[in-house]
């Protein structure tokens, strides 16, 4: 057994003791996935480009110290770009305060060898010059080291990019830099590119839960609390419909248009092939398919991804992210009301936007749907958020 397996086994034992009411050092937090499934999330092995505000707020795992969770995504190392607002120098490292406009985090950056042995010029350089005005390797090496030292010398006000694992030291969150360098960005091209890319990462990956499930010998791996196979099946069905709606860019649909997308999931649950099924078993499969689809559709409605514009016997559902008319109405409301003195400074509140959209578009638009629309518009740079609940146009 390797050292990592021993640590995981010890942690799981302590978590079980807490569940049974025995003394221990804390158990698995509710909703936190087990450590054996962390590697299935690609964010775990990548440098997560999170805002400093979120890095300061993410909670540390109670299973393995040094691992943090942002909306159930295990975070180990991060990538930050910001302005240096303070600097402290020690013998072996620098401490830089990096501000990305959402918060300030301390970054511990270790010194290279060039910082430790750089001040003295190379002696005997003249002896290496055979001819007057010839090439002096030692002198050129000295100039090269000086240029390298100057380019890596960071002062307050410089733009710094830091990559490394997140640590908690003396109750404060900080980054142990594995790589860091000063960014020369005179025309702000790097910062603008960063500001456009990070919201897209949040929208597409960080803010969306990753289904930490896996199939092992035909059985579904559930979480440590013994979540049922039905819950896992519902999650797989939800992801299947989301991917289908996104790939096909569907704007509206009727239930029977998507029900067949879940047939493979229901077929996997049956022990017999379709040719051997009896009529009663076939009816049972159809009922199971119908129930699974209804529950999945309700889940998508609860998340604000689909909604019904008009409540009628002809069940037509709108796909929130692809409903161009809803996006256009929402953007028009924000653009028009942002010009009013009441909303000019702080922007329009989400509830005010929701009320106007219900009057112009449909009274069946929920707050959850409105939040999905606003997030999509912000990712496309059509609007900007002044606060978490106030929005205005660019």
């Amino acid at each position: 057994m390797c050292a990592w397996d021993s640590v995981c086994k010890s942690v799981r034992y302590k978590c079980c003791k807490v569940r049974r009411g025995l003394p221990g050092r804390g158990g698995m937090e509710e909703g936190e996935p087990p450590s054996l499934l962390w590697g299935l999330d690609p964010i775990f092995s990548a440098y997560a480009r999170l805002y400093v505000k979120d890095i300061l707020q993410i909670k540390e795992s109670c299973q393995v110290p040094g691992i943090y969770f942002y909306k159930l995504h295990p975070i180990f190392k991060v990538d930050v770009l910001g302005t240096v607002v303070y600097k402290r120098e020690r013998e072996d490292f620098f401490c830089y305060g990096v501000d990305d406009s959402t918060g300030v985090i301390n970054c511990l950056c270790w010194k290279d060898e060039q910082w430790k042995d750089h001040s003295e010029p190379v002696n005997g350089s003249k002896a290496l010059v055979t001819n007057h005005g010839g090439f002096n390797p030692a002198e050129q090496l000295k100039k090269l080291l000086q240029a390298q030292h100057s380019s890596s010398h960071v002062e307050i006000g410089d733009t710094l990019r830091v990559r490394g694992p997140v640590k908690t030291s003396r109750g404060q969150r900080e980054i142990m830099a594995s790589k860091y360098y000063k960014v020369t960005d005179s025309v702000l091209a790097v910062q603008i590119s960063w500001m456009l890319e990070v919201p897209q990462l949040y929208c597409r990956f960080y803010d969306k839960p990753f289904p930490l499930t896996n199939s092992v010998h035909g059985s579904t791996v559930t979480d440590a609390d013994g979540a049922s196979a039905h819950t896992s099946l519902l999650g797989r069905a939800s992801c299947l419909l989301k991917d289908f709606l996104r790939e096909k860019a569907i704007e509206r649909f009727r239930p029977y248009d998507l029900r067949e997308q879940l047939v493979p999931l229901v077929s996997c649950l049956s022990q017999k092939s379709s040719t051997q099924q009896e009529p009663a078993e076939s009816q049972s499969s159809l009922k199971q398919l119908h129930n699974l689809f209804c529950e999945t559709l309700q889940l998508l409605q609860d998340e604000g991804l689909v909604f019904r514009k008009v409540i009628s016997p002809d069940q037509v559902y709108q796909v929130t992210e692809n409903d161009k008319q809803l996006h256009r109405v929402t953007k028009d409301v924000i653009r028009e009301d942002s010009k009013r003195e009441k909303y000019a400074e702080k922007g329009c509140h989400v509830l005010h936007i929701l009320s106007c959209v219900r009057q112009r578009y449909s009274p069946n638009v929920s707050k959850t749907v409105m939040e999905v629309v606003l997030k999509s518009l912000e990712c496309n740079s059509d609007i900007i958020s002044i606060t978490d609940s106030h929005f205005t146009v660019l």
Side-chain angles (χ1 to χ4, degrees):
M1 180 181 297
C2 65
W4 176 256
D5 291 335
S6 300
V7 172
C8 293
K9 182 177 180 180
S10 175
V11 171
R12 288 195 295 271
Y13 173 73
K14 293 177 182 178
C15 293
C16 292
K17 291 205 306 183
V18 172
R19 293 196 196 97
R20 296 170 184 171
L22 299 176
R25 292 188 56 191
M28 185 184 301
E29 186 177 346
E30 183 179 358
E32 181 178 312
S35 58
L36 295 178
L37 302 181
W38 291 351
L40 299 179
D41 193 335
I43 299 179
F44 178 63
S45 58
Y47 286 94
R49 297 188 181 183
L50 296 177
Y51 294 122
V52 170
K53 176 187 68 173
D54 293 328
I55 298 176
L56 298 176
Q57 294 177 353
I58 55 179
K59 295 182 179 180
E60 188 171 8
S61 170
C62 61
Q63 303 178 63
V64 180
I67 305 299
Y68 301 83
F69 281 94
Y70 177 80
K71 295 187 177 181
L72 296 185
H73 291 290
I75 302 295
F76 169 60
K77 46 192 178 181
V78 294
D79 190 350
V80 172
L81 177 71
T83 304
V84 177
V85 295
Y86 67 80
K87 170 185 175 183
R88 293 193 296 268
E89 183 176 0
R90 299 294 185 266
E91 182 178 356
D92 295 326
F93 59 87
F94 290 100
C95 285
Y96 297 111
V98 178
D99 184 359
D100 71 340
S101 77
T102 67
V104 181
I105 190 169
N106 185 66
C107 301
L108 194 150
C109 305
W110 296 97
K111 293 182 179 180
D112 293 332
E113 292 297 328
Q114 58 170 320
W115 289 93
K116 299 178 181 179
D117 186 15
H118 172 72
S119 56
E120 294 297 330
V122 180
N123 295 325
S125 60
K126 293 183 179 180
L128 298 176
V129 182
T130 56
N131 298 321
H132 293 288
F135 178 76
N136 189 338
E139 188 66 24
Q140 296 299 323
L141 177 61
K142 176 185 174 182
K143 292 181 179 179
L144 180 62
L145 291 175
Q146 288 177 343
Q148 184 180 3
H149 183 279
S150 177
S151 63
S152 61
H153 189 73
V154 180
E155 295 292 346
I156 294 177
D158 291 338
T159 302
L160 184 67
R161 184 171 182 179
V162 180
R163 308 179 74 183
V166 182
K167 300 291 183 182
T168 302
S169 177
R170 298 178 181 179
Q172 295 184 349
R173 202 64 52 81
E174 64 181 12
I175 300 176
M176 301 287 291
S178 56
K179 296 180 181 179
Y180 72 98
Y181 60 90
K182 181 173 67 174
V183 178
T184 303
D185 192 20
S186 57
V187 295
L188 303 181
V190 177
Q191 296 187 58
I192 292 175
S193 176
W194 184 278
M195 293 169 63
L196 293 175
E197 183 177 3
V198 173
Q200 293 285 346
L201 292 175
Y202 270 86
C203 182
R204 297 180 180 178
F205 303 104
Y206 304 151
D207 287 338
K208 292 185 177 181
F210 183 77
L212 291 172
T213 57
N214 190 18
S215 177
V216 181
H217 302 296
S219 61
T220 302
V221 177
T222 59
D223 59 18
D225 295 329
S228 65
H230 176 72
T231 303
S232 175
L233 181 64
L234 184 61
R236 293 167 60 189
S238 174
C239 293
L240 187 63
L241 291 187
K242 289 177 184 177
D243 293 340
F244 180 78
L245 294 174
R246 186 181 301 110
E247 292 176 2
K248 302 300 182 180
I250 298 175
E251 185 173 344
R252 63 180 62 88
F253 65 90
R254 290 177 174 83
Y256 56 78
D257 295 331
L258 295 184
R259 187 178 291 114
E260 292 185 358
Q261 298 298 322
L262 303 183
V263 170
L265 294 180
V266 177
S267 299
C268 292
L269 299 178
S270 178
Q271 298 293 334
K272 300 179 180 180
S273 64
S274 58
T275 58
Q276 297 175 338
Q277 284 185 339
E278 297 178 358
E281 293 175 340
S282 178
Q283 292 295 330
S284 176
S285 298
L286 292 176
K287 183 177 180 180
Q288 189 177 18
L289 174 63
H290 175 75
N291 293 337
L292 177 61
F293 180 78
C294 291
E295 293 182 22
T296 306
L297 193 59
Q298 183 60 46
L299 181 62
L300 296 181
Q301 286 183 274
D302 294 340
E303 296 178 0
L305 300 179
V306 300
F307 68 99
R308 295 179 65 181
K309 181 179 179 181
V310 179
I311 305 298
S312 65
D314 185 18
Q315 296 183 4
V316 179
Y317 290 83
Q318 306 290 129
V319 181
T320 306
E321 293 184 350
N322 299 332
D323 193 336
K324 298 179 181 179
Q325 183 181 0
L326 176 58
H327 287 220
R328 183 169 58 254
V329 170
T330 305
K331 189 164 55 175
D332 291 342
V333 168
I334 300 175
R335 180 187 298 108
E336 294 171 5
D337 288 359
S338 295
K339 298 178 182 179
R340 298 167 57 182
E341 183 179 356
K342 181 179 180 180
Y343 306 106
E345 181 178 354
K346 199 173 182 179
C348 301
H349 193 273
V350 61
L351 295 180
H352 169 74
I353 301 173
L354 176 61
S355 177
C356 295
V357 170
R358 283 175 173 174
Q359 295 176 14
R360 298 189 184 186
Y361 180 75
S362 171
N364 299 320
V365 177
S366 64
K367 183 181 177 182
T368 308
V369 171
M370 196 75 266
E371 290 174 348
V372 173
V373 173
L374 293 172
K375 183 178 294 185
S376 178
L377 290 175
E378 187 175 11
C379 288
N380 293 331
S381 300
D382 294 323
I383 62 174
I384 58 175
S385 57
I386 305 299
T387 67
D388 292 339
S389 303
H390 293 80
F391 298 85
T392 186
V393 293
L394 294 173

